Amino acid sequence: EKEEVAHKMDLFLLSFATTLTIIIYSLFKYFFAKPKEKMPLAPGTFGWPIIGETIQFLISLYYGLVHEFVQQRTKKYNSHVFKTSLLGQKVVILGPAANKFIFTQGNKLIIGWRPKSVQKLFPSTSFVPIEHDTKRAHNVISYFLNSQNVERLISTMDNMSHLHLKNHWKGKHEVIVYDLVKLFTFSLSIRAFMGIEESDKILNLYEKFKIFTQGLLAVDINLPGTTFYKVMKAGNELRKEMKVIIKQRRVELLENPNLSKVDVLTQMINEQDEDGNYMTEVEIEDKVFGFIIGSYDTTATTITLTMKYLQQMPEYFNEIIQEQNEISRQMMPRKELCWNDIQKMRKTWSFVNEVLRNTPVVQGIFREAIEDFTYEDFHIPKGWKIYLSFGATQKNGEYFPYPTKFDPSRFEGNGQVPYTSVPFGGGHRMCPGKEFARILILVFLHHLLKNFRWEPKFV
């Protein structure tokens, strides 16, 4: 018994000594060991308290010069990666090489981010993760643009382009291009996404959407007299009208499950996720609003810029006219454009791509770090926002030799190195409406080039 007690005592002492050693080692390591070095934060400044460098950024955004905002700081800090403060957020701005990282590998480390103003204007963002939101948007648009439906869509675009130019351009000595094209692209988007054709309804929605879109980057102060107050009021009015339209469409689908309407709204009402859940009414409203905003304004800007560049460059103008005339000749006796005709407009689309490279319509994107990570030897903390400037890449001589020279041949043949020119995003975050916008731009330009010549009026 004495031996057994002694043995147990030895085991206890050994266990106690081992535990004490571990505790002492841990305490020594905690208090005296050299801490593991973290990678440094990117160089830069957060600017003024709260405001940061937001004012300079928004001014450059307004004038389409975000790439200059980026280039100035890249040169100042001698780094393609730098930190700043925008819209009340700590932001890391990444350089040209980041495009591929963001669009391919970044999905495990970062997610999309929307400013607070956008979150308030689109309530479903509070309960629908942005990646899930994008996936459902892709599903709807993919069905909308499948082989069966795309010919019908092209026919609609063809007829509406012809009528718009006939009613608003023909016989006029002077037109305000951007305003007219924006009304046209909006009208077509409303018809394609919501199935609405009545001109009075379209004009009513147009006036409200013009106010609503002003809030996407507005300061979210919802007090009478502020821009955001007017934006929220317009948004509430739009939602009331949308609820009536959705209710009517549900009744139509209930009465006739095989309803022939082929529009995005109908697809959204019928859309189910992998668990068989339908979209909520708020989700449907937000997605329709997002599609409309994302399609009509940027598309109108692209068409207007393309007309400007075509007028300034007669050598390219003549090449594109020849391409469009040859397509018209091959169509005879058929009068409406079809999918195969669109695919033949290669020179025209290369020209449009060079316009978008030279003058980015969408100047960049925001993302958010969902965990700490390192990029180009700099530490990017969880929760920080990330901004990727498209123009900084598209005007970089490493990717585009002689970047100030306008040269559509950059996009002919195999085109550019992937992820260097990304006007519609890239990878799994490619803009769902890219193909819709491409077809619309090419159909409109086809009719415009066949029937009109123009020159700018300087005031």
Side-chain angles (χ1 to χ4, degrees), residues 205-224:
L205 291 168
Y206 182 56
E207 293 305 317
K208 290 182 173 65
F209 264 99
K210 281 199 296 186
I211 299 171
F212 187 69
T213 53
Q214 293 174 11
L216 297 180
L217 284 175
V219 179
D220 57 322
I221 300 175
N222 192 16
L223 295 174

Side-chain angles (χ1 to χ4, degrees), residues 36-80:
K36 184 179 178 181
E37 290 187 8
K38 270 188 178 180
M39 290 291 183
L41 295 174
T45 175
F46 292 128
W48 292 94
I50 302 175
I51 297 173
E53 295 188 297
T54 300
I55 294 174
Q56 301 97 307
F57 177 78
L58 291 180
I59 290 172
S60 67
L61 185 68
Y62 179 81
Y63 287 103
L65 298 172
V66 171
H67 63 280
E68 291 189 1
F69 175 92
V70 173
Q71 288 169 349
Q72 287 167 3
R73 286 153 182 79
T74 296
K75 185 176 181 181
K76 179 180 178 181
Y77 304 125
N78 194 28
S79 171
H80 288 299

Side-chain angles (χ1 to χ4, degrees), residues 216-284:
L216 297 180
L217 284 175
V219 179
D220 57 322
I221 300 175
N222 192 16
L223 295 174
T226 64
T227 298
F228 199 71
Y229 179 84
K230 297 174 185 176
V231 169
M232 288 295 288
K233 183 180 178 182
N236 291 333
E237 291 172 359
L238 282 169
R239 289 183 188 281
K240 285 180 183 177
E241 296 188 34
M242 272 295 295
K243 289 181 192 304
V244 173
I245 294 167
I246 292 171
K247 185 177 179 180
Q248 290 173 343
R249 188 61 52 81
R250 288 190 196 279
V251 171
E252 291 175 6
L253 288 167
L254 194 62
E255 293 174 350
N256 181 10
N258 298 317
L259 188 69
S260 61
K261 277 184 178 289
V262 180
D263 56 57
V264 167
L265 177 58
T266 303
Q267 292 309 125
M268 286 187 178
I269 291 172
N270 289 326
E271 170 73 9
Q272 294 174 275
D273 63 18
E274 55 270 19
D275 298 321
N277 298 316
Y278 290 95
M279 291 188 201
T280 64
E281 194 169 89
V282 176
E283 283 182 85
I284 294 173

Side-chain angles (χ1 to χ4, degrees), residues 116-232:
K116 286 185 179 179
S117 57
V118 175
Q119 294 174 33
K120 290 182 179 179
L121 292 173
F122 294 86
S124 69
T125 57
S126 65
F127 61 87
V128 179
I130 193 167
E131 265 55 38
H132 181 70
D133 186 56
T134 303
K135 183 180 178 182
R136 295 194 84 163
H138 274 287
N139 289 343
V140 170
I141 291 294
S142 295
Y143 178 84
F144 182 61
L145 292 174
N146 69 18
S147 58
Q148 180 182 353
N149 295 326
V150 74
E151 294 291 2
R152 192 183 310 189
L153 178 63
I154 292 171
S155 175
T156 299
M157 290 179 173
D158 188 280
N159 289 318
M160 287 187 68
S161 298
H162 173 74
L163 287 173
H164 172 81
L165 291 167
K166 179 183 176 183
N167 294 335
H168 298 283
W169 298 56
K170 190 175 181 181
K172 303 288 194 300
H173 295 293
E174 179 181 318
V175 295
I176 300 175
V177 172
Y178 177 64
D179 289 353
L180 281 176
V181 176
K182 190 161 69 165
L183 177 59
F184 164 72
T185 55
F186 181 84
S187 301
L188 200 144
S189 296
I190 289 292
R191 181 165 177 173
F193 298 142
M194 298 175 65
I196 295 175
E197 300 179 24
E198 298 87 346
S199 58
D200 57 335
K201 285 187 179 181
I202 290 172
L203 287 172
N204 174 48
L205 291 168
Y206 182 56
E207 293 305 317
K208 290 182 173 65
F209 264 99
K210 281 199 296 186
I211 299 171
F212 187 69
T213 53
Q214 293 174 11
L216 297 180
L217 284 175
V219 179
D220 57 322
I221 300 175
N222 192 16
L223 295 174
T226 64
T227 298
F228 199 71
Y229 179 84
K230 297 174 185 176
V231 169
M232 288 295 288

Side-chain angles (χ1 to χ4, degrees), residues 1 15 31 40 55 98 154 168 232 247 275 313 363 438 454:
E1 279 185 27
S15 176
F31 286 107
I55 294 174
I154 292 171
H168 298 283
M232 288 295 288
K247 185 177 179 180
D275 298 321
M313 301 177 178
Q363 297 186 64
R438 184 180 80 94
W454 59 90

Side-chain angles (χ1 to χ4, degrees), residues 286-339:
D286 282 356
K287 283 186 176 59
V288 171
F289 288 176
F291 282 139
I292 292 169
I293 292 169
S295 63
Y296 87 93
D297 198 6
T298 53
T299 305
T301 303
T302 302
I303 290 172
T304 305
L305 287 170
T306 301
M307 288 182 64
K308 173 189 172 185
Y309 278 91
L310 279 169
Q311 193 277 328
Q312 292 174 345
M313 301 177 178
E315 66 275 25
Y316 296 119
F317 189 102
N318 293 332
E319 280 185 11
I320 289 170
I321 284 289
Q322 288 176 12
E323 179 177 76
Q324 295 297 338
N325 286 341
E326 179 60 20
I327 289 169
S328 295
R329 188 187 67 77
Q330 293 176 9
M331 285 170 59
M332 297 300 290
R334 177 170 48 86
K335 293 183 178 180
E336 282 189 0
L337 290 166
C338 68
W339 174 252

